[in-house]
Amino acid sequence: MEEIKNILISRGYTEKQALAIAPELLQIDNSLQKGFRCWLVSEEETDYIVEGFKLSELKHKFDLTYPAALLTIDWLIKEPERAIKSINRGINNKDNMSQFQLTTKVNIPLSGGMRIDKGQTFFVNLPFGHLPFDSINSKEAVTKRLELEGFNIKGHESILSSGYFDFKKL
């Protein structure tokens, strides 16, 4: 796991993000292991198609890193009904979405010694007419984006406010 963490860090993940995502990557379906190992060694990205979804297209449409897209394909293998519903909701709503840039105002401590550093930036797509933190659905979208970035905010949901994040519509 240490090797995977170090490779993720060398490819742009923070140490905290790498620590959060490395164990998940170790548990991906056996059919994805060869592609993951290839990416670790050479950054070559093996494409997969599962349940009609192509990894490279998911990566592009949702602005995912290769490891995040690989975890999405793994989700399609392990929980196809939930994954398909969620992905389709995101694809179908993509054209009716507004993108926001969120930037942390302060260091935000999380469980397990993790924290979101002041000035860290995230991008989230929300349904047209909504703002980050203005509804349960908007907060869930921000939470999911933070999880994709390797941050588990469970137990810290109170940070989902403009007191902790600046945001602007892009």
Side-chain angles (χ1 to χ4, degrees):
M1 188 168 95
E2 187 71 19
E3 177 189 2
I4 293 171
K5 179 194 86 162
N6 291 336
I7 291 170
L8 290 169
I9 291 169
S10 74
R11 297 188 185 159
Y13 283 77
T14 67
E15 182 173 0
K16 292 170 187 130
Q17 292 169 329
L19 283 169
I21 198 171
E24 293 181 47
L25 289 166
L26 286 171
Q27 300 299 315
I28 61 172
D29 188 79
N30 287 339
S31 65
L32 305 175
Q33 287 289 338
K34 184 178 178 184
F36 176 54
R37 294 286 169 205
C38 185
W39 180 83
L40 286 173
V41 171
S42 67
E43 290 188 68
E44 183 180 328
E45 298 181 359
T46 305
D47 212 357
Y48 294 94
I49 298 175
V50 174
E51 297 289 340
F53 292 96
K54 193 171 182 180
L55 182 144
S56 58
E57 291 175 3
L58 291 170
K59 187 176 176 245
H60 176 74
K61 285 180 183 173
F62 294 104
D63 192 27
L64 300 173
T65 62
Y66 184 75
L70 202 56
L71 288 171
T72 303
I73 291 292
D74 183 59
W75 186 30
L76 280 162
I77 292 169
K78 293 175 179 172
E79 296 182 273
E81 288 182 19
R82 275 186 67 199
I84 290 167
K85 183 186 259 187
S86 181
I87 292 167
N88 281 335
R89 190 169 47 243
I91 290 171
N92 293 337
N93 291 334
K94 191 86 170 153
D95 294 333
N96 296 320
M97 303 289 263
S98 299
Q99 186 175 51
F100 288 87
Q101 176 181 330
L102 299 143
T103 307
T104 52
K105 293 180 178 182
V106 296
N107 290 330
I108 303 171
L110 301 172
S111 301
M114 291 184 68
R115 79 174 192 193
I116 305 173
D117 294 323
K118 179 180 179 180
Q120 193 152 359
T121 301
F122 305 94
F123 296 91
V124 65
N125 292 316
L126 298 173
F128 182 78
H130 284 273
L131 299 172
F133 323 122
D134 75 344
S135 68
I136 291 171
N137 287 338
S138 291
K139 288 180 179 184
E140 285 176 356
V142 172
T143 299
K144 285 178 185 174
R145 188 57 174 162
L146 292 172
E147 287 173 355
L148 281 172
E149 298 290 335
F151 296 107
N152 180 357
I153 66 161
K154 190 167 182 85
H156 302 279
E157 289 83 1
S158 63
I159 70 163
L160 296 174
S161 74
S162 57
Y164 290 91
F165 292 90
D166 283 322
F167 60 88
K168 69 178 179 180
K169 186 175 177 184
L170 301 177

